[in-house]
Amino acid sequence: MRFEKKVWLSSPTMHGDEIKFVQEAYETNWMSTVGANINETERLVAEKVGCKYAVALSAGTAALHLCAKLAGEALYGMPKVGEGSLKGRKVFCSDMTFDATVNPIAYENGEAVFIDTERDTWNMDPVALEKAFEIYPEVRLVVLVHLYGTPAKVDEIREICRRHNALMIEDAAESFGASYKGKQTGTFGNFNAISFNGNKIITGSSGGMFLTDSKEDADKVRKWSTQSREAASWYQHEEVGFNYRMSNVIAGVVRGQMPYLEEHIAQKKAIYMRYKEGFKGLPVAMNPYDEKNSEPNFWLSCMIIDKDAMCKQVRGETDVAYVSEPGKTCPTEILEKIAEMNAEGRPVWKPMHMQPIYRSHAFITAQGNGRARTNAYIEGSVEDVGADIFARGLCLPSDNKMTPEQQDAIIRTIRECFS
Ligand SMILES: *Cc1c(COP(=O)(O)O)cnc(C)c1O
């Protein structure tokens, strides 16, 4: 069967209120980076997350960049013009993530060191992080992501940061609305970011926010994001600035989406549970989470195929081949079959240590220096957890607007791949 209308991985879901706030911005002529939508959206997000200040920015990436700049200046002082605040400094980063998590470290001239993934939540492995501090005790900054909306092992990671006197940037871009031990993600780092990109749990079509309890940091981010203007009647500058502020039009969309955050999460959770139920008896598992301590936002549903149910699959840098086998399958075959139905899936995010751009950067696994043993790895071996999840995992169509009937058809197609 083939769906007439494409079923997306995760597309924007609008409700009607968004256009009213956009219209209001238009009619009152607040068509800039100032206005009621920005103020109200910042207030609503801060209230939801439980932080004192939310600063609306043009993207989650912009928020993460200013997090990195704040961290660098807090740790190492103000840089010279033209030098990043993290110049020459190593920073420990989640490895299995979208590259927007780690690129801001490069913007500030720092050097990301990638920390391998654990199997309980598919996030940064505290054991590998501890190993990394043994190898590089001078490191003072950690960037932690909550992949696919599933909270990481926050307590363990924070305790390690505390012991090693390190600050933490929390990338909650994918996890807005998810909580850990009753507290919202985006409140655990010294510097925190969320995203309103078009594919996220709620969206402004683009946009992001910096979240903090520090008035000083919030003020700095407001200033930096509006070209670092000093209080003078002319344009006066003491620092390098950025054009990173959110538009009042975009903020209108986010404002209109805010009342639907919990509804979106409930829909995403129902999708996750339906897949889980539908895959019963298959040699697969869903992306896992800590059921006792965390409540994900279930942004994307993912699955991982058992090792002995994997057919042969070989990936180059941009291409892939597999050999179909009875009773076995692989992410590539499943993605092909669901694409034939006009539904969108995607491989699990390719780990940063496997990306050509970051090939020369260190990669630390639970056993220590992963790069030193890279040649010994067989893709899918137990040591390089990120490479293994990348080889066997995939993101499933997780769109809010997918009907249960459509999802059941996708489940049937996936079941057939194992026959
Ligand atoms: C989407 C995303 C970002 C970047 O957010 P933008 O708003 O697209 O700039 C950062 N980190 C992760 C993990 C993301 O998924």
Side-chain angles (χ1 to χ4, degrees):
M1 85 169 279
R2 191 179 157 83
F3 305 128
E4 212 162 293
K5 236 177 107 190
K6 185 162 178 169
V7 174
W8 298 95
L9 186 72
S10 181
S11 72
T13 302
M14 295 293 128
H15 300 275
D17 300 351
E18 299 86 352
I19 195 70
K20 284 189 232 153
F21 293 120
V22 170
Q23 184 87 22
E24 196 175 291
Y26 182 88
E27 280 164 6
T28 55
N29 205 37
W30 288 103
M31 298 296 284
S32 70
T33 54
V34 211
N37 287 335
I38 294 180
N39 300 340
E40 184 56 11
T41 304
E42 287 181 341
R43 192 189 68 76
L44 287 169
V45 170
E47 182 183 78
K48 169 70 195 173
V49 171
C51 65
K52 288 200 183 126
Y53 308 97
V55 184
L57 300 170
S58 55
T61 310
L64 286 162
H65 182 188
L66 298 186
C67 286
K69 185 172 162 66
L70 278 170
E73 294 194 5
L75 290 166
Y76 310 115
M78 202 155 135
K80 288 191 211 130
V81 174
E83 282 185 1
S85 62
L86 293 167
K87 189 174 179 218
R89 311 286 185 167
K90 287 186 167 60
V91 177
F92 295 148
C93 297
S94 286
D95 178 58
M96 208 166 74
T97 186
F98 186 54
D99 72 341
T101 306
V102 302
N103 284 341
I105 302 305
Y107 303 163
E108 288 299 312
N109 297 158
E111 182 188 333
V113 168
F114 301 113
I115 309 299
D116 200 11
T117 308
E118 36 83 0
R119 295 189 186 276
D120 301 332
T121 77
W122 291 8
N123 287 302
M124 183 186 282
D125 183 356
V127 179
L129 181 62
E130 187 65 62
K131 274 272 179 322
F133 275 112
E134 279 170 29
I135 299 169
Y136 303 108
E138 73 280 10
V139 171
R140 305 284 303 282
L141 183 60
V142 173
V143 185
L144 177 70
V145 71
H146 305 289
L147 197 73
Y148 303 136
T150 300
K153 296 190 173 182
V154 174
D155 277 356
E156 289 91 330
I157 304 270
R158 289 222 301 182
E159 169 56 21
I160 294 168
C161 288
R162 193 194 57 76
R163 258 191 293 112
H164 294 276
N165 216 355
L167 299 177
M168 186 174 105
I169 294 172
E170 189 185 359
D171 177 357
E174 298 178 0
S175 67
F176 184 39
S179 61
Y180 177 84
K181 296 193 174 171
K183 236 180 130 208
Q184 292 279 308
T185 60
T187 58
F188 296 108
N190 301 90
F191 316 98
N192 312 284
I194 55 172
S195 164
F196 300 112
N197 184 302
N199 68 1
K200 300 298 199 293
I201 190 91
I202 63 164
T203 183
S205 73
S206 65
M209 274 194 197
F210 169 73
L211 308 176
T212 186
D213 281 336
S214 158
K215 181 167 189 308
E216 198 187 331
D217 285 353
D219 287 344
K220 271 192 202 165
V221 167
R222 276 178 215 284
K223 180 179 164 191
W224 290 345
S225 67
T226 50
Q227 306 288 19
S228 294
R229 280 144 58 174
E230 300 296 330
S233 60
W234 49 85
Y235 288 136
Q236 174 82 8
H237 304 282
E238 292 175 11
E239 293 177 272
V240 169
F242 302 85
N243 182 5
Y244 276 176
R245 195 74 164 126
M246 183 184 278
S247 138
N248 192 51
V249 177
I250 300 290
V253 182
V254 182
R255 185 179 178 185
Q257 289 257 287
M258 274 301 285
Y260 298 94
L261 173 60
E262 288 304 324
E263 184 181 309
H264 285 194
I265 294 173
Q267 290 166 340
K268 296 276 193 183
K269 183 171 182 174
I271 290 168
Y272 179 98
M273 293 304 168
R274 197 173 190 90
Y275 276 128
K276 197 177 163 109
E277 185 64 29
F279 293 154
K280 279 221 169 111
L282 289 183
V284 304
M286 296 296 290
N287 49 326
Y289 65 98
D290 178 349
E291 293 180 31
K292 195 165 135 260
N293 293 313
S294 77
E295 187 58 32
N297 69 3
F298 298 95
W299 174 56
L300 290 190
S301 285
C302 305
M303 62 182 277
I304 182 163
I305 301 166
D306 288 359
K307 280 198 183 103
D308 45 18
M310 278 282 289
C311 68
K312 194 173 164 60
Q313 172 191 252
V314 183
R315 284 192 176 125
E317 285 303 346
T318 55
D319 53 357
V320 58
Y322 69 95
V323 184
S324 198
E325 241 183 284
K328 296 186 176 187
T329 188
C330 61
T332 309
E333 183 173 49
I334 293 175
L335 291 169
E336 273 182 19
K337 295 290 182 226
I338 60 182
E340 282 168 20
M341 305 174 73
N342 202 21
E344 183 190 32
R346 189 164 294 177
V348 163
W349 294 184
K350 182 173 177 174
M352 289 300 119
H353 80 278
M354 298 171 75
Q355 301 286 356
I357 183 178
Y358 290 122
R359 198 158 10 212
S360 64
H361 290 225
F363 168 55
I364 311 299
T365 70
Q367 286 86 35
N369 188 340
R371 292 287 186 203
R373 296 191 315 279
T374 293
N375 292 336
Y377 289 150
I378 306 158
E379 201 185 8
S381 80
V382 288
E383 282 186 301
D384 183 339
V385 176
D388 179 40
I389 295 174
F390 176 58
R392 298 192 285 122
L394 68 134
C395 304
L396 297 157
S398 306
D399 199 72
N400 302 57
K401 297 169 292 310
M402 174 171 64
T403 65
E405 294 71 31
Q406 288 175 319
Q407 193 180 349
D408 288 344
I410 291 165
I411 291 168
R412 277 196 301 278
T413 298
I414 293 172
R415 295 195 75 94
E416 279 162 20
C417 291
F418 288 92
S419 63

